[in-house]
Amino acid sequence: MSNDTENLARILEWYIGAGVEETCGDEPMTLGTAPVSVSLKPQINLRAAVSAAPAAPVRQATTPLAQATGNACQNAKDLCASINSMEELRTAMENFDGCALKLTASHTVFGDGNPQARVVFVGEAPGADEDRIGVPFVGRSGHLLDKMLAAIGLDRTQCYICNILPWRPPGNRTPLDSEIAVCLPFLKRQLDLINPDYIFMLGGSAANALLDTPESISRLRGRWLEYVKSDGSKAMVLASFHPAYLLRTPGQKAKAWADFLRLSRQMKGEN
Ligand code: URA
């Protein structure tokens, strides 16, 4: 479209927006006093003129990568919506090709423990040991987690353990937002199917992803939060430090211990 045509189309659109629908000649006149015999120039229908002008090209506010991520998220959501058992979900995750992390991982780390449990522990992503074995929290962090569970009288037969991502990011790098977004529908469906009363988030990234908040783990921990499952029912949520962080920063173990005790008291109805 030439500049002149584009400008004309814009001017005409402006007139239509202002309520002007027709033109009626160049001669000035006072409304209501014009002689009946006044001769009007041929009329132009502005609406017709505008719709005849070629439309300006629509610019998309997106990129191919953002579109691919959006499509993969939608595919994951659609897939999950029709899944009604943990086994179906495991198979769907193993067959899902919307997340490139699967290409570099050895296993899809689905989850471990009792799918009928009242409490689910959610970490960030499998590490090297978990990727090799296919089970969450089996490395050094997992040993510490098992000890903390034991300290409140739980083992893996009384809780369920999974991660935000079922595939290990290469070299244990921080997961990308796009990877989290694509995998989250699977975790959410897993939580729907388990239907826990309590969810314990292990680490800031896991808490941020599931609770959709940017707040730091230091601010999130130590108080009850809420997660709404897809049927509208709620689970009580606690977030605490990731076991790997506690191994590096043992001085924070007392706070994590307080969080585990808070969970235990609540589960026993002692709060
Ligand atoms: N760290 C996690 O967040 N998850 C695991 O499964 C292991 C280590």
Side-chain angles (χ1 to χ4, degrees), residues 109 122-127 130 135-139 141-142 161-163 202 242 244:
V109 179
V122 183
E124 180 179 311
E130 291 77 17
V135 177
F137 283 100
V138 289
S141 301
I161 302 175
C162 56
N163 282 304
L202 297 163
H242 192 285

Side-chain angles (χ1 to χ4, degrees), residues 81-159:
S82 62
I83 286 177
N84 290 311
S85 77
M86 292 286 271
E87 270 324 296
E88 268 181 87
L89 185 63
R90 181 195 285 271
T91 308
M93 272 161 102
E94 285 170 353
N95 293 335
F96 184 69
D97 282 330
C99 179
L101 289 178
K102 186 178 156 188
L103 300 176
T104 48
S106 309
H107 279 101
T108 299
V109 179
F110 180 70
D112 189 29
N114 181 349
Q116 260 102 48
R118 293 171 69 206
V119 57
V120 175
F121 291 81
V122 183
E124 180 179 311
D129 294 316
E130 291 77 17
D131 182 50
R132 189 167 41 80
I133 296 170
V135 177
F137 283 100
V138 289
R140 284 187 69 223
S141 301
H143 288 146
L144 177 57
L145 176 60
D146 285 337
K147 278 197 212 166
M148 297 178 89
L149 292 175
I152 56 166
L154 293 179
D155 62 25
R156 291 187 186 217
T157 65
Q158 294 151 304
C159 65

Side-chain angles (χ1 to χ4, degrees), residues 67-78 96 98 178 180-183 185:
Q67 264 175 339
T69 302
N71 292 344
C73 286
Q74 195 54 52
N75 288 346
K77 282 182 197 161
D78 294 345
F96 184 69
S178 56
I180 291 176
V182 170
C183 293

